[in-house]
Amino acid sequence: MATTALITDFPELTHSSREDLEDLLNDPTYFQSVFHSLGQVKSLYQAQSELGMANEALARNNISLQERLYQLRSETKDAFDEAKSLETRWKDLERDQREVYQRFTPQFLLLRLRHATTAQDDESEAVASSFVQGPSTTSSSNGKDVDDFVREFKELRKTYHKRVMWGERWASGHVEWRDH
């Protein structure tokens, strides 16, 4: 049974006598020479040799691509680092933009209008007080100081009243803010 399986698996041994087969088992050198002459073994060694050559070709190809791979890796790292830097800069710019836009929100602008209105009222009152407490107007020629005061005070009060009117329109809902 074992002989049949051996002959089925290795048909090259069908012409061998029983003594040859026994010598084959007893002599390792003879076994090696017969073993390496078998077609299946030759095919196996041929396939192994071809795989080895294919592996060597792949290795040479990989080595030839190695420098480019290192270059691409470096470029990728540089691009990633730059992207991270730009991302940080983007966040900073967004924060700065929010701060800038904050100065133009309707609430902030209303606050500025109220402060400007108060400052305008204070300024016009200071000019009036200065005029009243200042030197006598009778010494000026042709009332020039009075004319200058009236002109300046009138401009200051005009601006004040415009700001008051804008504030009142805002309070009554007649001011509409657009975001664009």
Side-chain angles (χ1 to χ4, degrees):
M1 180 92 166
T3 310
T4 310
L6 181 65
I7 292 174
T8 306
D9 289 341
F10 301 101
E12 295 90 351
L13 299 177
T14 56
H15 65 282
S16 301
S17 66
R18 181 174 184 87
E19 293 84 28
D20 285 340
L21 292 176
E22 286 176 2
D23 288 342
L24 190 66
L25 290 174
N26 293 329
D27 184 359
T29 306
Y30 181 52
F31 176 81
Q32 288 295 323
S33 68
V34 171
F35 178 76
H36 289 290
S37 69
L38 294 175
Q40 289 175 326
V41 174
K42 287 179 181 178
S43 295
L44 181 65
Y45 279 135
Q46 180 63 32
Q48 184 181 13
S49 174
E50 289 172 4
L51 284 174
M53 288 188 296
N55 280 343
E56 285 180 22
L58 286 173
R60 280 191 298 276
N61 186 43
N62 286 345
I63 288 172
S64 73
L65 295 174
Q66 184 176 13
E67 188 59 37
R68 180 67 181 137
L69 176 64
Y70 288 149
Q71 181 183 359
L72 287 173
R73 185 180 293 161
S74 176
E75 290 172 6
T76 301
K77 183 188 177 309
D78 292 346
F80 181 78
D81 291 345
E82 183 179 355
K84 282 298 194 184
S85 173
L86 290 173
E87 181 180 34
T88 300
R89 177 146 164 68
W90 177 271
K91 288 177 184 176
D92 291 344
L93 288 173
E94 277 186 328
R95 185 191 66 242
D96 293 348
Q97 182 182 21
R98 277 192 305 275
E99 290 173 6
V100 167
Y101 283 163
Q102 182 66 29
R103 293 185 301 190
F104 298 102
T105 62
Q107 297 82 8
F108 188 77
L109 291 174
L110 177 59
L111 180 67
R112 284 183 59 199
L113 176 62
R114 287 180 180 161
H115 285 293
T117 302
T118 302
Q120 191 73 28
D121 186 40
D122 292 345
E123 185 180 355
S124 67
E125 290 302 317
V127 166
S129 293
S130 173
F131 180 75
V132 169
Q133 294 172 1
S136 171
T137 58
T138 57
S139 64
S140 67
S141 60
N142 297 331
K144 183 87 165 136
D145 289 334
V146 172
D147 290 341
D148 290 342
F149 162 73
V150 169
R151 188 173 23 265
E152 181 181 6
F153 186 75
K154 184 177 173 183
E155 281 301 313
L156 290 171
R157 292 311 287 180
K158 183 168 113 179
T159 302
Y160 166 77
H161 286 293
K162 280 183 180 180
R163 289 178 180 170
V164 167
M165 287 180 355
W166 291 336
E168 288 172 354
R169 287 184 65 198
W170 189 313
S172 67
H174 289 96
V175 175
E176 189 176 315
W177 292 99
R178 296 186 191 112
D179 291 333
H180 50 319

